[in-house]
Amino acid sequence: MVWLHGLHAVDPFEAVLAERFPLLEVRDRTVVLRSPKRMGWLLDDAGRATRRVPLALPPP
């Protein structure tokens, strides 16, 4: 699983993977456009959630 800033970042990311891991073969992709359960947390240096940052809801 990887989080990218947008769909435009998928091809460059896969190019880096192909360069670093020549035997790797990407066989499938799944795009999730929204993951509200995991977003909005500030992490410490160890990667643990320290506090929540409220996210604005999109307009109806």
Side-chain angles (χ1 to χ4, degrees):
M1 177 186 296
V2 63
W3 285 17
L4 301 171
H5 288 287
L7 291 176
H8 65 279
V10 172
D11 288 333
F13 176 74
E14 288 182 1
V16 169
L17 286 179
E19 183 179 312
R20 292 188 64 193
F21 306 100
L23 298 178
L24 179 72
E25 178 183 341
V26 176
R27 300 183 93 182
D28 194 13
R29 291 174 199 86
T30 301
V31 175
V32 178
L33 299 177
R34 218 178 127 183
S35 298
K37 280 186 160 186
R38 299 182 185 265
M39 293 169 41
W41 288 96
L42 291 180
L43 306 178
D44 64 11
D45 291 336
R48 288 179 238 138
T50 58
R51 68 181 183 130
R52 190 153 172 82
V53 177
L55 298 175
L57 294 174

